[in-house]
Amino acid sequence: MDVANKSVSEFVLLGLSSSWELRLFFFMVFSLFYVATMLGNSLTVITVIADSHLHSPMYFLLTNLSIIDMSLASFATPKMITDYLTGHKTISFDGCITQIFFLHLFTGTEIILLMAMSLDRYVAICKPLRYASVISPGVCVALVVASWAVGVMHSMSQVIFALTLPFCGPNEVDSFFCDLPVVFHLACVDTYVLGLFMISTSGIIALSCFILLFNSYVIILVTIKHHSKGSSKALSTCTAHFIVVFMFFGPCIFIYMWPLNSFLIDKILSVFYTIFTPILNPIIYTLRNQELKAAMRKLRNRLLNRNKTTPLLYF
């Protein structure tokens, strides 16, 4: 690590508010959301694994999305909740870099995974006769591995860049977690040049992927319109997918395309895609997916029946 970086050994996370009343409110709300996120996504993963009828490419990708959402909700939220309770606001330099790494790892991976889910729906609806051969189990595994590989490469590029920044004094991060748009404002270099760097990497990548996804869903919806058979189910599935895509990409594009914006807006959007989106994903997919809801009811009934018959084993 560069010697200049060592002048700052820790950062102070200013959080969302300095008011004790608001901090208590955020503590209760975010604690509830975090628990619900972990339970909801865990239920999705367990249901897909337990029901053999859901062992298909779409649900395999959905399971991986749930795992990523739990990871994205966990890289900073538990610390934020704990800090609201204890009043501790500092994070070490290494801890800050670690947050940047995992944030970009999970967001980069989710971007590619959402594109894989779009490809799955495109082939299923627009090329149904070729679906089994194109979206095979091996292809699904390759898509998931590729999404994590891209996430790792993207996050490493962000971390390497962050480690080259010289920090020579200011250490107050105007957010509840570390990310480059807020951390590089503390560096002793021209932030305008750094802003251009952010636009040329994360922002452009997110915008390009969103445009590709948007075009693919337009093609899918046009295809659905010309096929009446099974169109209701396909439309429901694709609508759910696009809602997730819009909620995830919208804040990311705004934050990284305009990194020199107001920190207040950035903080609100950061809360949205790190706390709200991970809990909305299982809600959207569950409420709009009859197969998944039926599988959850079946799993619940199986567990209830097992609990009723278990005492008989002791007689």
Side-chain angles (χ1 to χ4, degrees), residues 52-257:
S52 59
H53 295 93
L54 300 181
H55 292 177
S56 64
M58 184 181 76
Y59 291 107
F60 175 74
L61 296 175
L62 178 59
T63 299
N64 281 274
L65 179 65
S66 294
I67 293 173
I68 294 174
D69 282 336
M70 287 189 287
S71 303
L72 184 60
S74 300
F75 88 97
T77 305
K79 174 175 172 51
M80 177 184 63
I81 293 172
T82 304
D83 289 350
Y84 280 138
L85 188 63
T86 61
H88 181 76
K89 295 183 177 182
T90 61
I91 183 172
S92 67
F93 185 91
D94 292 339
C96 185
I97 297 298
T98 301
Q99 283 193 344
I100 293 175
F101 173 81
F102 282 115
L103 170 63
H104 288 272
L105 169 64
F106 299 138
T107 53
T109 302
E110 183 158 342
I111 285 174
I112 304 303
L113 188 62
L114 288 173
M115 296 184 69
M117 295 176 72
S118 171
L119 173 65
D120 172 75
R121 290 301 86 201
Y122 171 80
V123 177
I125 295 172
C126 300
K127 310 287 183 181
L129 298 179
R130 300 181 58 188
Y131 182 78
S133 59
V134 175
I135 310 296
S136 63
V139 170
C140 287
V141 172
L143 289 173
V144 172
V145 171
S147 66
W148 282 100
V150 171
V152 169
M153 289 188 292
H154 172 65
S155 61
M156 286 301 299
S157 67
Q158 303 300 300
V159 167
I160 291 173
F161 175 75
L163 289 175
T164 61
L165 296 176
F167 296 99
C168 54
N171 68 337
E172 291 186 341
V173 178
D174 194 9
S175 182
F176 61 94
F177 64 87
C178 289
D179 193 12
L180 280 182
V182 288
V183 170
F184 74 50
H185 281 271
L186 305 178
C188 305
V189 290
D190 185 1
T191 57
Y192 178 76
V193 175
L194 295 177
L196 291 179
F197 172 83
M198 295 297 299
I199 292 175
S200 64
T201 53
S202 301
I204 293 297
I205 292 173
L207 181 60
S208 301
C209 292
F210 178 77
I211 292 174
L212 289 173
L213 286 169
F214 180 80
N215 290 334
S216 68
Y217 280 112
V218 168
I219 296 173
I220 291 172
L221 292 175
V222 171
T223 303
I224 292 174
K225 184 179 179 181
H226 290 86
H227 294 78
S228 58
K229 185 177 180 181
S231 61
S232 178
K233 178 181 176 182
L235 180 62
S236 176
T237 302
C238 290
T239 301
H241 282 214
F242 187 74
I243 291 174
V244 171
V245 166
F246 181 78
M247 290 190 308
F248 179 78
F249 277 90
C252 290
I253 292 172
F254 188 89
I255 290 174
Y256 292 105
M257 285 296 293

